[in-house]
Amino acid sequence: MASIKDVAAEAGVSVATVSRVLNDHPSVSADARTRVLAAVETLGYRPNAVARSLRTDQTHTLGLVISDVLNPYFTELARSVEEEARALGYSVIIGNADERPELQDHHVRNLLDRRIDGLLVSPTDGGSPLMLDAARAGTPMVFVDRWIPGVDVPVVRADGRAAVRDLVAHLHGLGHRRLAIIAGPAATTTGSERVEAFREALAEYGIPLPDAYIGQGDFQAESGRRVTEGFLDLAEPPEVVFAADNLMALGALDAVRARGLRVPCDIALAAFDDIPWFVHTDPPITAIAQPTGELGRAAVRALVDRIEGRPPQSVTLPARLVVRRSCGENPEQNQNPEQNQRPAQNQSRAQNENPEQNRSTS
Amino acid sequence: MASIKDVAAEAGVSVATVSRVLNDHPSVSADARTRVLAAVETLGYRPNAVARSLRTDQTHTLGLVISDVLNPYFTELARSVEEEARALGYSVIIGNADERPELQDHHVRNLLDRRIDGLLVSPTDGGSPLMLDAARAGTPMVFVDRWIPGVDVPVVRADGRAAVRDLVAHLHGLGHRRLAIIAGPAATTTGSERVEAFREALAEYGIPLPDAYIGQGDFQAESGRRVTEGFLDLAEPPEVVFAADNLMALGALDAVRARGLRVPCDIALAAFDDIPWFVHTDPPITAIAQPTGELGRAAVRALVDRIEGRPPQSVTLPARLVVRRSCGENPEQNQNPEQNQRPAQNQSRAQNENPEQNRSTS
DNA sequence: CCTCAGCATGTAATCGATTCCACGAGGAGG
DNA sequence: CCTCCTCGTGGAATCGATTACATGCTGAGG
């Protein structure tokens, strides 16, 4: 691989001049510039990013540690993050924690060792010493989707409170009174907040949320299945199961089907996080949709602001309820079935990326 | 951030000794070793991977350029790649090409600039000059899923021929005679091969594959929708649509639903690439499943073999047909409906990794 | 008691860039 | 004509590691 020295030799100038041309420093003669560029061309020279990073102490790389690549929500988040980062001149290295704190730490350590310029994290747990140290040490960092309370790091996330209230209103309107939730790990903010929002919304209707109706999941499909089986085994099973993410909803669907039961006749189902497939499941699943793409972009902007010395901003965007048929039909409100309400092109990747809708930032 | 010099000062030794301790070189006294380790501990020192890479000319990093992160198939592939790489002591940087050749080139260039040790690619097109040059220049490289003919690079992929034949047998058995396919880009091997396999299988039953029944897609949902609409507009629309990937199947489903038609009564649907959601779509979708996890692992092993000087091996694994209900019911063969055949726990991420089940492929 | 092997250690070169500083040439201004 | 500033350029230090080579010390063997 040709180095800057080879280019310098080929062009008959010093390495300093080559470097200046490459970083278009003003003080280079037109003659030298053309000779250097010609040499670069003939040698097929590409600057060594490793060497450059060592010298400048900048990698122009962001780390993104997500909880689970197999979850379409995070996949979409990752895509928008990479897109925005690329637009701002950064690359992204993704670490997949698989909802396992030790794997999360592995990736954080790895990214830090590589001297990434900043870190985007959706923490799997309440915060390992490693991550807390990194935050305290001043590593540019932004939390996205989930966050760790008490740490001075900007947070970019969706607020699902209003949407959960809408969901409960919808369920109540359909006559459901026994409502259960499959929660995420209590150590995650999304794990506990969604339960709280659900409980509060139920309270408005005077409906309690007994412990038996709070299943402890881990955001993975298998836990959704296990918890749902527990619900179905109760003396008085719930009429509705609300899964705190889409994978647990998938698991719930599996469990219901394994019993030979049907959604929504035998039991209703709703999920947090909307995905294109929910339109085509049997039945189409009512879900709370986050403005995922917008969140990813906002998170990158906040992180890059922080990196480049501008004050970063926390952002909270509202989630919204998307009613489909998995909770039952309401002949009154539901004269517009969802398949007409959500036009077809929305189910492509452009979904949720309409910035003009539902904006309310803090 | 503490450097090796700080550690050396703290421990009262030279940087060489520190380096030797860190790389556990035999020739270090026990005393020096403990002093160095203590210094490392108190300073919270972590070696700078950038500097190390510059010196050793190894990054212990693999690049993975996939065609589309939003496609669950590639997402699962990426996960298994990262897993195996981690087990072998490598990190992975993922580049998402979004099926766009210029974006693919962007990522390849970026990864090469970062001096990754090797490249795993699922090419979006027939091979850009950049990629061909890289291959010729001796960059360790392995193609996964798709490949570029005429380039001397190991290929790890699934052979869908037998499964496609099984599919056509299944469709023929159900009485279908007008079979159409939504193809991928002709510039990709999977784009053209799947059409060829389909055509050959049809030929065995004396069924032609007219041009009108070959829709040109690009592996994205939107193209599946467009092509399917074209099929439905034909004077004699097909009885079956076979989508060459799961996203185009999603688009096809959207198109069918937009017309108010039903699968499989009005039109049957099958897809290449199985995903967990296909179990729960309306109706469950018959698909050809690849051993995705195994492919990812084999690809990493081949690449690391190449990097570490062992001869890499191309690998081809068989895909298999998973019959569900989207092509119609066959009262004869189908007395075991799919939901019982595929036990619930299979729909988690462990899916497809159970070699023993549902094997109806050669 | 001398020699030499081998071990522990340090000094310094090196990887490929960026960048400070010095220097010479040339032009403007006095 | 001299001075000084600007511009283009090159030399060399530097980033943080690894590693070849040199050196001093210890102990075994003759």
Side-chain angles (χ1 to χ4, degrees):
Chain A
M1 196 107 250
S3 84
I4 196 171
K5 273 188 207 154
D6 304 316
V7 176
E10 173 81 15
V13 297
S14 71
V15 293
T17 300
V18 175
S19 175
R20 279 187 275 257
V21 170
L22 264 37
N23 297 284
D24 44 37
H25 185 95
S27 184
V28 193
S29 68
D31 175 54
R33 163 165 283 112
T34 54
R35 292 222 309 286
V36 167
L37 292 178
V40 165
E41 189 64 29
T42 66
L43 295 176
Y45 169 77
R46 297 245 79 212
N48 183 327
V50 175
R52 191 196 295 246
S53 294
L54 176 61
R55 183 59 233 253
T56 62
D57 202 34
Q58 292 183 27
T59 50
H60 274 276
T61 302
L62 309 181
L64 170 64
V65 180
I66 57 178
S67 318
D68 186 0
V69 243
L70 295 189
N71 184 326
Y73 168 74
F74 286 113
T75 256
E76 194 184 338
L77 188 70
R79 179 174 184 273
S80 65
V81 162
E82 195 275 336
E83 209 163 56
E84 182 75 6
R86 181 153 33 83
L88 298 177
Y90 287 79
S91 307
V92 176
I93 303 184
I94 301 173
N96 170 33
D98 257 350
E99 301 288 0
R100 287 157 48 194
E102 81 280 8
L103 202 46
Q104 168 179 278
D105 267 16
H106 165 89
H107 284 118
V108 169
R109 191 166 357 247
N110 187 291
L111 293 165
L112 257 25
D113 285 355
R114 300 179 113 80
R115 301 303 194 265
I116 46 138
D117 293 342
L119 198 53
L120 237 37
V121 192
S122 166
T124 300
D125 61 4
S128 61
L130 174 63
M131 198 135 59
L132 300 179
D133 284 354
R136 247 181 262 115
T139 311
M141 207 156 142
V142 166
F143 290 138
V144 56
D145 185 47
R146 311 178 184 174
W147 83 99
I148 300 177
V151 181
D152 182 27
V153 163
V155 179
V156 173
R157 66 188 191 100
D159 180 355
R161 223 105 41 108
V164 168
R165 218 177 302 127
D166 291 346
L167 171 64
V168 169
H170 168 65
L171 295 170
H172 188 268
L174 291 167
H176 298 306
R177 294 297 177 271
R178 297 200 307 278
L179 314 184
I181 184 168
I182 310 177
T188 62
T189 48
T190 49
S192 53
E193 276 178 354
R194 289 172 190 177
V195 176
E196 279 326 299
F198 194 56
R199 189 198 307 278
E200 284 169 22
L202 290 181
E204 292 182 19
Y205 291 88
I207 302 176
L209 183 59
D211 284 350
Y213 281 5
I214 305 179
Q216 194 52 57
D218 61 6
F219 287 136
Q220 307 269 35
E222 176 50 35
S223 71
R225 182 178 306 118
R226 179 172 34 75
V227 168
T228 304
E229 278 165 7
F231 286 154
L232 296 174
D233 285 336
L234 290 176
E236 198 169 48
E239 295 159 327
V240 182
V241 172
F242 174 38
D245 86 339
N246 64 63
L247 292 182
M248 296 194 297
L250 174 64
L253 223 41
D254 285 346
V256 170
R257 153 178 287 221
R259 297 268 172 127
L261 302 176
R262 302 278 306 169
V263 173
C265 344
D266 300 308
I267 189 162
L269 180 66
F272 211 105
D273 290 341
D274 193 22
I275 60 172
W277 299 103
F278 278 172
V279 177
H280 292 294
T281 47
D282 176 28
I285 295 179
T286 292
I288 292 178
Q290 296 194 42
T292 319
E294 196 49 47
L295 287 175
R297 283 189 287 274
V300 170
R301 282 193 296 263
L303 183 56
V304 170
D305 279 348
R306 169 79 177 69
I307 291 171
E308 299 181 352
R310 296 179 295 272
Q313 292 215 307
S314 285
V315 175
T316 304
L317 302 174
R320 66 178 209 286
L321 177 67
V322 178
V323 174
R324 300 202 181 90
R325 296 207 311 275
S326 63
C327 298
E329 304 278 354
N330 185 330
E332 300 289 335
Q333 303 173 213
N334 221 20
Q335 70 280 68
N336 281 343
E338 194 274 340
Q339 62 263 44
N340 300 331
Q341 233 168 296
R342 271 172 78 84
Q345 64 270 24
N346 261 1
Q347 290 136 24
S348 81
R349 64 176 30 157
Q351 189 209 24
N352 290 349
E353 318 228 326
N354 268 6
E356 75 282 7
Q357 91 191 35
N358 278 348
R359 170 177 310 254
S360 89
T361 305
S362 82
Chain B
M1 195 108 250
S3 86
I4 196 172
K5 273 188 208 153
D6 304 317
V7 176
E10 172 82 15
V13 297
S14 73
V15 293
T17 300
V18 175
S19 175
R20 279 188 274 256
V21 170
L22 264 37
N23 297 284
D24 45 37
H25 185 94
S27 182
V28 194
S29 68
D31 175 56
R33 164 165 283 114
T34 54
R35 291 221 310 286
V36 167
L37 292 178
V40 165
E41 188 64 29
T42 65
L43 295 176
Y45 168 77
R46 296 245 79 211
N48 183 327
V50 175
R52 191 196 293 247
S53 293
L54 176 61
R55 183 59 233 254
T56 62
D57 202 33
Q58 291 182 27
T59 50
H60 274 275
T61 302
L62 309 181
L64 169 64
V65 180
I66 58 179
S67 319
D68 186 1
V69 244
L70 295 189
N71 185 326
Y73 167 75
F74 285 112
T75 254
E76 195 184 338
L77 188 71
R79 179 174 184 274
S80 65
V81 162
E82 194 275 336
E83 209 162 55
E84 182 74 6
R86 180 154 32 84
L88 298 177
Y90 287 80
S91 307
V92 176
I93 304 185
I94 301 173
N96 169 34
D98 257 351
E99 301 288 0
R100 286 156 49 194
E102 81 279 9
L103 202 46
Q104 168 180 279
D105 267 16
H106 165 89
H107 284 118
V108 170
R109 193 170 349 250
N110 186 289
L111 292 166
L112 257 25
D113 285 355
R114 299 179 114 77
R115 300 303 192 266
I116 46 138
D117 293 342
L119 198 54
L120 237 36
V121 192
S122 167
T124 299
D125 61 2
S128 60
L130 174 63
M131 198 136 59
L132 300 179
D133 283 354
R136 247 182 261 114
T139 312
M141 206 156 143
V142 166
F143 290 138
V144 56
D145 184 48
R146 312 179 183 174
W147 83 98
I148 300 177
V151 182
D152 182 27
V153 163
V155 180
V156 173
R157 65 187 192 103
D159 181 356
R161 223 105 42 107
V164 168
R165 217 177 302 127
D166 291 346
L167 171 65
V168 169
H170 167 65
L171 295 171
H172 188 267
L174 291 168
H176 297 306
R177 293 298 178 270
R178 297 199 308 277
L179 316 183
I181 184 169
I182 310 178
T188 62
T189 48
T190 48
S192 53
E193 275 178 355
R194 290 173 189 176
V195 175
E196 278 326 300
F198 194 56
R199 189 198 307 279
E200 283 169 23
L202 290 180
E204 291 182 19
Y205 291 87
I207 302 176
L209 182 59
D211 284 350
Y213 283 5
I214 305 179
Q216 193 53 57
D218 60 6
F219 286 136
Q220 307 269 36
E222 176 50 35
S223 71
R225 183 177 304 120
R226 180 173 33 76
V227 168
T228 303
E229 279 165 6
F231 285 154
L232 295 174
D233 285 336
L234 290 176
E236 198 169 47
E239 295 158 328
V240 181
V241 172
F242 175 38
D245 85 340
N246 65 64
L247 292 182
M248 296 194 298
L250 175 62
L253 223 42
D254 285 346
V256 170
R257 153 178 287 223
R259 297 268 173 127
L261 301 177
R262 302 278 306 168
V263 173
C265 343
D266 299 309
I267 188 161
L269 180 66
F272 210 105
D273 291 342
D274 192 22
I275 60 172
W277 300 104
F278 277 172
V279 176
H280 292 294
T281 46
D282 177 27
I285 295 179
T286 292
I288 291 177
Q290 297 194 41
T292 319
E294 198 46 51
L295 288 175
R297 284 188 288 274
V300 170
R301 282 192 297 264
L303 183 56
V304 170
D305 279 347
R306 169 80 177 71
I307 290 171
E308 298 181 354
R310 296 179 295 274
Q313 292 215 305
S314 285
V315 174
T316 305
L317 300 173
R320 67 179 209 285
L321 177 66
V322 178
V323 174
R324 299 201 181 91
R325 297 207 310 275
S326 64
C327 299
E329 304 276 354
N330 185 331
E332 299 289 335
Q333 302 173 213
N334 221 21
Q335 70 281 68
N336 281 343
E338 195 273 343
Q339 63 263 46
N340 300 331
Q341 234 168 295
R342 274 171 76 85
Q345 65 270 23
N346 263 358
Q347 289 136 24
S348 80
R349 64 174 33 154
Q351 191 214 18
N352 290 350
E353 321 229 325
N354 264 7
E356 77 284 5
Q357 101 183 36
N358 263 354
R359 171 169 308 247
S360 69
T361 306
S362 72

